[in-house]
Amino acid sequence: MKTRIGVGVAALLAAGAMAAAGVGAASASPSTTAPVSAASPSHAATGGAKAASAGGLQAFLSLNADSPQAAGDRAAKAAAALVNHPQLFAKLPAALQADVTTLKDAAPADRVKDAYKIKTTALSGGYGAEIQKRAEALEKAATGLAGLRQELRTAFSSDNPGAGLQQVADQLISHPKMFAKLPANLQADLTALKNAAPADLDAQANKIKDAALNGGYGAKVQKMAEALQKKVATPST
């Protein structure tokens, strides 16, 4: 029974990753770029779960009761992706199967409500302890990432970005797996910023901003930096 539940968690995560890959909802996340196929259950429980762990269940967890229609549509796509892979779907608890099917078939106006129900039930343990644990971990990670994005926005919009960007550097370094995925020269500059004296913070932070915008850390980081700068310039969008 424990193995069945564990694979069920992997199946739920894999579904969201497949939907995200299909609609580009998480294109900035390295973990969602690899396709998740409907192979054997053992594949879903190992490589599939690992590939999907950063984005799958978040198709449901990212919603609030008042989320926009587009968010409900993405969650419905995740539900359809899961139902259309019966080997994965069959591993889920019966209550979750029923709720995912309801979401898949829901009228557009009901998608946010039905997806939000999946979120709240997962977090409250209604689908079992394993899925609750995974949901809580992913929600905590999402909250942390939201905080990082806000700190980055503040740094990019400030004439004195040192303290804010230093906080971002400290958070990234405290998550070794995430930090290790950054380009080596960006890792070095963030480490230098974390350890910089207060008088040097702004100069070091501006160096990182300029390098990011000019492609010094590679095209992916440049694209993200440019998007962030655009957001800062047009905060109403």
Side-chain angles (χ1 to χ4, degrees):
M1 175 62 76
K2 185 175 181 180
T3 301
R4 175 184 169 83
I5 294 174
V7 177
V9 175
L12 181 60
L13 294 173
M18 287 184 284
V23 300
S27 59
S29 172
S31 62
T32 57
T33 55
V36 180
S37 62
S40 65
S42 62
H43 171 79
T46 55
K50 185 177 291 186
S53 62
L57 190 53
Q58 288 171 357
F60 309 113
L61 290 178
S62 62
L63 277 87
N64 293 313
D66 58 351
S67 290
Q69 180 64 46
D73 293 343
R74 286 194 295 270
K77 286 181 181 290
L82 180 52
V83 173
N84 289 335
H85 288 77
Q87 287 183 322
L88 302 180
F89 186 68
K91 306 301 178 183
L92 297 179
L96 182 51
Q97 290 184 31
D99 287 347
V100 168
T101 301
T102 296
L103 173 58
K104 177 185 77 74
D105 297 332
D110 294 329
R111 288 171 181 169
V112 169
K113 172 179 63 69
D114 291 341
Y116 184 64
K117 177 188 175 184
I118 292 175
K119 169 184 175 176
T120 56
T121 305
L123 288 170
S124 66
Y127 302 131
E130 290 295 324
I131 288 178
Q132 181 182 27
K133 182 178 179 180
R134 176 65 66 180
E136 290 172 344
L138 287 174
E139 187 173 56
K140 182 178 179 181
T143 301
L145 288 174
L148 283 178
R149 285 194 295 269
Q150 184 56 49
E151 289 291 348
L152 282 170
R153 283 195 183 193
T154 300
F156 266 68
S157 63
S158 173
D159 293 330
N160 304 103
L165 206 54
Q166 186 185 49
Q167 192 169 3
V168 172
D170 186 59
Q171 293 236 14
L172 286 170
I173 291 169
S174 70
H175 292 82
K177 289 184 179 180
M178 184 187 301
F179 188 65
K181 294 180 180 180
L182 300 177
N185 57 342
L186 178 54
Q187 291 182 40
D189 287 347
L190 288 171
T191 301
L193 175 61
K194 178 187 176 183
N195 298 323
D200 298 329
L201 284 178
D202 286 338
Q204 184 67 28
N206 281 318
K207 173 188 171 184
I208 292 172
K209 285 170 56 179
D210 291 343
L213 288 167
N214 293 325
Y217 302 126
K220 287 185 178 180
V221 173
Q222 182 180 26
K223 184 176 181 180
M224 292 170 66
E226 289 172 345
L228 183 61
Q229 189 176 56
K230 184 177 179 181
K231 279 282 188 183
V232 169
T234 56
S236 61
T237 60

